[in-house]
Amino acid sequence: VSLVESGGGLVQAGGSLRLSCAASGSSFSTYSLGWYRQAPGKQRELVATVGSRGTITYADSVKGRFTISRDVAKNTVEMQMNKLKPEDTAVYYCWAGYWRAYWGQGTQVTVSS
């Protein structure tokens, strides 16, 4: 089982990035999928998740700016990040959770001021 992220990078404040995660090795239709992030010196925190039935959760800090979506047939989850702020700078991890959790290797997002 693996989760492979793509789409991170460097962007100026106010800009946009789109993260993608492809899950393989199992069917993830019953899993919740989502994104967590970890900034230097801080704990890993939830950014957004989408459940197997489509229920979506966002961290308060990204509501109105980030949009998560999933394609059940393709085992993918994506997150459109708009109006990025310097405080969004972190390593973003793809996550799949059900009876156990799986994590991707992480992709760096850096927002310059």
Side-chain angles (χ1 to χ4, degrees):
V1 174
S2 70
L3 303 176
V4 179
E5 303 103 334
S6 61
L10 172 64
V11 66
Q12 289 188 332
S16 299
L17 285 173
R18 188 174 185 85
L19 302 183
S20 297
C21 174
S24 62
S26 177
S27 172
F28 287 88
S29 61
T30 57
Y31 280 70
S32 294
L33 299 177
W35 296 91
Y36 283 68
R37 68 186 180 187
Q38 188 167 18
K42 295 187 177 181
Q43 290 187 331
R44 191 171 298 188
E45 63 177 3
L46 180 149
V47 179
T49 63
V50 51
S52 60
R53 299 182 180 181
T55 301
I56 292 176
T57 300
Y58 292 105
D60 287 343
S61 59
V62 307
K63 284 180 180 177
R65 300 188 297 122
F66 293 9
T67 303
I68 191 170
S69 60
R70 69 183 289 174
D71 187 321
V72 176
K74 295 182 179 179
N75 272 351
T76 59
V77 60
E78 296 186 330
M79 186 165 67
Q80 177 67 38
M81 304 186 295
N82 297 328
K83 300 179 182 179
L84 284 160
K85 304 176 180 180
E87 51 263 44
D88 294 318
T89 295
V91 178
Y92 284 69
Y93 295 91
C94 183
W95 166 85
Y98 181 42
W99 61 278
R100 62 155 291 174
Y102 295 97
W103 295 93
Q105 80 285 357
T107 185
Q108 178 70 45
V109 171
T110 303
V111 184
S112 63
S113 57

